[in-house]
Amino acid sequence: MAGVRRRLLEGGDARDQLALFCACSARRDRQAHLVRCGVLGALRALGARAVLAASCARYRRSLRLFEPFEVRTRLLGWDDRAFYLEARFVSLRDGFVCALLRSRQHVLGTSPERVVQHLCKHRGSPELASPGNLSPAAAVWLEVEPPELPEDVRHWIAYNEASSQLLRAESGLGAGKNQ
C-alpha cells in the first residue's frame, strides 16, 4: 500500500486512487459490518479477536471523483478458523460493481462456530441466554451450519493454503498449519 500512496503523491492514475480508497474504505466497512451484525461484541464477550489473514481485491472499473457509490458488505461464511467477508463497491450511477474485495478474518481465542453460537444465544429467546436451560430443540437450533462458500472463494482458500505450504517449505518451517 505504501507504493500506491507514493504513486498517488507523484500523480498516480485513477486506478491507484481507487485502490487506496477501496483499501481504506473496505477496512472501515469490515469493522463496521462486524459491529453491526454483533460479531465484534461476541468476540469481545468470548475474550477473542479477529485479525485480517488474507484479502483479495478485484478492480473492474474506476470510480470517477465524487461519483456516488455504496459499499455492500456481507458475511459469506466461515470455517473452523475464520470468517469470510465480501465488500462490493457499487456505483449508484448505474449499479455497476466497480470493485470486489474479499477477506479472511482469522479468529483468535475461540472458533467462528462459538462466535455464531454466542450470537444465536443472545438474539434468541430468553431461555437461550442461559445454556443450562436449553431444551433439546433449542440445543439443535444453536448448531448453526455455515453456508457453503461460493466456488471462487473455495479456490481462493485453496490458493492461499498452497501458497502458505510453499512459503513454509522455503523457510524450513515444516508443514504445521499455524506457522
Side-chain angles (χ1 to χ4, degrees), residues 35 46 101 150:
V35 169
L46 294 168
L101 286 80

Side-chain angles (χ1 to χ4, degrees), residues 49-54 104-108:
R49 61 194 169 117
V51 296
L52 181 63
R104 178 181 186 191
Q105 302 289 323
H106 192 101
V107 176
L108 303 174

Side-chain angles (χ1 to χ4, degrees), residues 51 61 72 89 106 117 146 149 160 172 177:
V51 296
R61 183 181 82 195
R72 298 177 187 165
F89 288 73
H106 192 101
Q117 288 173 348
L149 292 168
N160 281 314
K177 265 197 153 189

Side-chain angles (χ1 to χ4, degrees), residues 18 22 58-61 87-90 97-101:
L18 179 63
C22 286
R58 179 164 183 242
Y59 303 101
R60 301 181 64 220
R61 183 181 82 195
R88 290 175 176 235
F89 288 73
V90 180
V97 177
C98 296
L100 177 71
L101 286 80

